[in-house]
């Protein structure tokens, strides 16, 4: 066990698996990972040298430098790629020009125009009773045909009323509902 330092303490160390995972998670967030590394690099005369690895409370400078730097670089690379992938996936789902996308630019524009005709105050929220009007006015891929889809129309309105207790509904909530319906 390495002697405790400024950042390596009884709460932040590698003595048990839960504490080690906590320290590794702390390092992933970027919080003082280099200070923990320096605490693990402690060397004499600050620590006690023993006959073997198990009897000393000194750290290993080379191993600490290699482990902490490689861990941080690999995790930072993975997290950055994960973040970029999530952003691109969400962007491509909603704002793609492809026909198989959930919503195309023209669908979004059509919905904006229809919404703005009903939302005369330009607040971005409408009562559920006015959303019924928006759903009747919308045309294109998001259109709800009342002759064919009367049950779907009733179900969508019921869900909005249930989720919002008859209160106001936002532009984005209705758009997402229509996008996933189509």
């Amino acid at each position: 066990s390495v002697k405790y330092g400024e950042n390596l303490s009884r709460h932040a160390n590698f003595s048990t698996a839960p504490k080690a995972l906590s320290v590794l998670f702390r390092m992933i967030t970027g919080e003082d990972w280099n200070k923990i590394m320096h605490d693990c690099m402690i060397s004499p005369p600050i620590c006690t040298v023993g006959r073997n690895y198990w009897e000393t409370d000194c750290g290993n400078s080379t191993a600490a430098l290699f482990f902490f730097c490689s861990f941080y670089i690999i995790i930072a690379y993975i997290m950055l790629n994960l973040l970029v992938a999530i952003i691109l996936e969400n962007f491509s789902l909603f704002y793609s020009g492809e026909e198989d996308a959930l919503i195309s630019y023209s669908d979004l524009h059509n919905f904006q125009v229809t919404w703005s005709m009903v939302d005369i105050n330009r607040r971005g929220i409408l009562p559920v009773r006015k959303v019924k009007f928006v759903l009747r006015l919308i045309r294109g891929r998001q259109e709800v045909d009342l002759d064919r889809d009367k049950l779907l129309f009733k179900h969508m309105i019921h869900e909005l009323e249930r989720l919002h207790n008859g209160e106001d509904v936002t532009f984005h909530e209705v758009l997402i509902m229509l996008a996933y319906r189509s």
Side-chain angles (χ1 to χ4, degrees), residues 1-21:
S1 164
V2 177
K3 184 177 181 179
Y4 294 154
E6 183 181 337
N7 289 282
L8 198 63
S9 63
R10 68 183 182 99
H11 299 292
N13 60 53
F14 295 96
S15 62
T16 64
K19 287 182 182 179
L21 287 174

Side-chain angles (χ1 to χ4, degrees), residues 61-80:
S61 298
T62 307
L65 186 65
F66 176 74
F67 171 76
F68 284 93
C69 289
S70 60
F71 177 80
Y72 189 74
I73 289 170
I74 290 169
I75 292 300
Y77 180 71
I78 290 170
M79 291 307 232
L80 180 65

